Amino acid sequence: MGKLYFKKTSKEEKINHLKPKKETIDLLLNYSKALSVVDYEKMKFERILN
Amino acid sequence: MNNTKVTDASLVRNYLDGNENALGALINRHQHRIYSFIFSKVYNRDIAEDIFQDTFIKVIRTLKRGKYNEEGKFLPWVMRIAHNLIIDHFRKNKRMPKFDNSGDFNIFSVLSDGDLNAETQIIKDQIESDVQELIKELPEDQLEVLTMRIYKDMSFKEISERTGVSINTALGRMRYALINLRKIIEKRNLILTN
């Protein structure tokens, strides 16, 4: 009976093994490659390459 | 193998120097932790995916704009961004409540008992501790008035008697304390609402 209180629930176990989709990671890496920031005087402009 | 020896700080430096692979390494290293953290709050894979994506878009933009300073550690900083975006998500949902139309009608989806639920309680506690940290940055005289008014619930008359200044001065200090707090919040890009 005591074990029930200490055993991790399946939900918790599931959460610990979660990770984002590969597509999400790829999108972020591509976004990073495409994004450049241009300084102009005191301003910064973002430029996305298509 | 080599990846574990390189610190986050040097990966960030490499990334700022133009090495795009460094970002991949950083994401790879922390994706589990950040994604699990987000999922543990929203319990929805699609929403967690969106928030994870928005978190790193913000990270990338901040890094590329040269606004990141290595004062804290990389992971706590990213977690903080994720945390703020989770708050944004719940706040948006609060403004536009959605009905869960997954089967039986649930009366609790339209009724609320008015008490704080676990999420809003966490957010409230976080905001209160953040504000307590922020007010420490105020000038001494403003901090004194603000503390007496907000935390000790004193009237401006009592404050003026205690501090030995006129009521108008106390009112002015309170006003400037609030203006300065807003400035600090804006400067740090904090979101302090639930």
Side-chain angles (χ1 to χ4, degrees), chain B residues 2-43:
Chain B
N2 221 3
N3 208 16
T4 52
K5 289 175 190 165
V6 187
T7 62
D8 286 351
S10 55
L11 281 172
V12 169
R13 239 186 339 267
N14 289 346
Y15 177 62
L16 293 175
D17 290 340
N19 180 1
E20 291 287 336
N21 293 333
L23 178 72
L26 281 167
I27 294 178
N28 201 32
R29 184 179 286 180
H30 299 300
Q31 58 174 336
H32 263 300
R33 196 123 176 243
I34 297 162
Y35 188 82
S36 304
F37 168 70
I38 298 167
F39 186 82
S40 71
K41 300 282 180 281
V42 298
Y43 279 110

Side-chain angles (χ1 to χ4, degrees), chain B residues 86-103:
Chain B
I86 292 165
I87 292 174
D88 281 354
H89 162 74
F90 284 119
R91 197 170 49 177
K92 231 184 286 166
N93 273 12
K94 204 176 164 190
R95 266 195 226 129
M96 293 182 286
K98 289 175 190 142
F99 293 102
D100 188 6
N101 203 13
S102 58

Side-chain angles (χ1 to χ4, degrees), chain A residues 11 15-22 24-25 27-29 31-37 44-46, chain B residues 15 20 23-24 27 31-32 35-36 39-40 43 45-46 49 52-53 56-57 60-61 64-66:
Chain A
K11 214 177 197 180
I15 287 175
N16 290 337
H17 291 98
L18 285 175
K19 62 178 190 177
K21 288 179 194 159
K22 192 180 170 294
T24 307
I25 306 286
L27 182 136
L28 289 168
L29 296 177
Y31 173 76
S32 169
K33 281 176 195 159
L35 180 73
S36 60
V37 175
K44 285 178 189 288
F45 294 98
E46 287 182 6
Chain B
Y15 177 62
E20 291 287 336
L23 178 72
I27 294 178
Q31 58 174 336
H32 263 300
Y35 188 82
S36 304
F39 186 82
S40 71
Y43 279 110
R45 289 216 64 163
D46 293 332
E49 207 80 35
F52 181 87
Q53 188 178 300
F56 271 95
I57 283 179
I60 292 165
R61 290 182 65 201
K64 292 227 169 184
R65 280 172 162 259

Side-chain angles (χ1 to χ4, degrees), chain A residues 36-48:
Chain A
S36 60
V37 175
V38 184
D39 284 303
Y40 176 73
E41 293 182 356
K42 282 181 181 174
M43 292 176 283
K44 285 178 189 288
F45 294 98
E46 287 182 6
R47 194 171 55 182
I48 298 268

